[in-house]
Amino acid sequence: MENKKDNKGILIGIIAFVAGVAFIAYGTISLLNSKPNVSDDNINDDNQDVENIDGPSVSVTEDDVKNFLTDNAKLVEYFTDYNADFDLGEMNPVSISDIFGWYFVFQYEHGEGESLSNSKYTYKYTMPVADADTFMRAYLGIPASIVDVTKIDFSKDFFNFTKDDNNYYVEVVATGLDPIQTCVLNDVNIVSDSEIIVTYGVMELGKTCEDKSDSCYIKKRELRLRKSDSGFTILGAADVQEITDNPDNQESSTDEN
């Protein structure tokens, strides 16, 4: 009698075990079936977001650029009014040193300076090496150690540059140079934070042109900038090379043929 009861208990246990396994299996399948489907549309949306992030970064505004040009008008004048061509990529020691020399004389706050006597020069100004390095890194992204004062040649008749371990010096006859032309801001083109093109219209000295039309200009000059942590890096300056068809040349060629 007891054996029958034991067999009956074992049978009930087996049935309960099988039922439990079946219940767990059913629950697992239900969870898998309830997982949301990832559609192709969702994948495409994700890819689209990545493409947008990889586009050109533009955080600079036109006002940012114009404020920089205004705050550094004397330095900009060197590239525009005095036709100084420059390409940072070439790392030309003469052009780099000239930019530093111009900044030293015309934009750096050097005070009244030391009055000179028994000399062809009138004043002597001083700039600490640390200030020179700050300027060069901020505006050109390179150290002041690249500057060679013996190569500064934009006006040797008026300025004499020297240097020692602590300071740069310049002896000057006068700090005023008359502009050789009239330049006006024509356009600011922000392609990206790394490519900012500022165009100036160049006119005869003293001439004005209210509508800033191309017919007013002798030529155009281009100043290239790049956004930096300290403001803007000057990348280059040169005349704009405009490609135009010349009907006179075409007629001349036809006549010759």
Side-chain angles (χ1 to χ4, degrees):
M1 194 71 175
E2 289 180 0
N3 289 338
K4 288 184 179 181
K5 288 182 179 180
D6 291 340
N7 290 338
K8 185 176 181 181
I10 293 172
L11 181 60
I12 293 172
I14 292 173
I15 293 172
F17 175 79
V18 171
V21 171
F23 179 79
I24 293 172
Y26 175 80
T28 302
I29 293 172
S30 297
L31 288 174
L32 292 174
N33 290 335
S34 64
K35 183 179 179 180
N37 293 327
V38 179
S39 65
D40 291 338
D41 292 339
N42 291 334
I43 295 174
N44 292 335
D45 289 342
D46 291 341
N47 290 338
Q48 185 66 35
D49 291 338
V50 171
E51 291 175 1
N52 291 337
I53 293 172
D54 290 341
S57 174
V58 179
S59 62
V60 176
T61 67
E62 186 171 323
D63 285 342
D64 293 336
V65 178
K66 288 182 176 179
N67 288 337
F68 171 81
L69 299 174
T70 300
D71 293 342
N72 297 277
K74 294 302 296 184
L75 185 61
V76 171
E77 183 182 74
Y78 173 69
F79 298 104
T80 55
D81 291 359
Y82 291 91
N83 302 314
D85 289 349
F86 172 65
D87 187 342
L88 182 60
E90 293 179 357
M91 293 293 288
N92 184 308
V94 174
S95 60
I96 287 173
S97 299
D98 273 353
I99 292 170
F100 166 77
W102 183 275
Y103 169 80
F104 187 0
V105 173
F106 293 105
Q107 188 165 326
Y108 179 68
E109 297 292 339
H110 43 52
E112 294 182 0
E114 174 188 352
S115 296
L116 300 176
S117 58
N118 301 322
S119 171
K120 64 174 286 188
Y121 300 103
T122 306
Y123 296 100
K124 181 178 182 180
Y125 299 109
T126 301
M127 179 194 293
V129 169
D131 288 0
D133 197 65
T134 297
F135 162 74
M136 294 297 290
R137 291 183 185 277
Y139 289 80
L140 302 177
I142 54 180
S145 58
I146 294 177
V147 172
D148 184 347
V149 294
T150 65
K151 296 185 181 299
I152 300 175
D153 65 353
F154 62 81
S155 186
K156 287 186 178 294
D157 293 336
F158 289 89
F159 311 110
N160 177 47
F161 294 89
T162 55
K163 177 185 180 297
D164 60 25
D165 292 340
N166 300 313
N167 299 297
Y168 288 88
Y169 306 96
V170 60
E171 296 170 309
V172 304
V173 173
T175 56
L177 286 181
D178 295 328
I180 61 175
Q181 59 197 20
T182 298
C183 293
V184 293
L185 181 62
N186 180 258
D187 182 57
V188 175
N189 180 20
I190 303 173
V191 180
S192 69
D193 287 347
S194 300
E195 186 179 1
I196 302 162
I197 303 170
V198 182
T199 307
Y200 284 84
V202 180
M203 298 176 287
E204 294 176 359
L205 187 63
K207 183 178 179 180
T208 57
C209 186
E210 293 181 359
D211 62 358
K212 297 183 180 180
S213 63
D214 289 352
S215 61
C216 293
Y217 304 139
I218 301 170
K219 62 179 180 179
K220 291 181 180 179
R221 283 188 62 76
E222 202 172 76
L223 186 65
R224 294 183 293 109
L225 307 172
R226 177 180 64 210
K227 184 180 182 299
S228 67
D229 293 339
S230 58
F232 293 92
T233 299
I234 300 170
L235 300 177
D239 288 353
V240 175
Q241 303 298 323
E242 296 185 3
I243 301 174
T244 57
D245 294 330
N246 190 335
D248 294 337
N249 289 344
Q250 291 179 353
E251 291 176 4
S252 176
S253 300
T254 303
D255 293 340
E256 290 176 2
N257 292 334

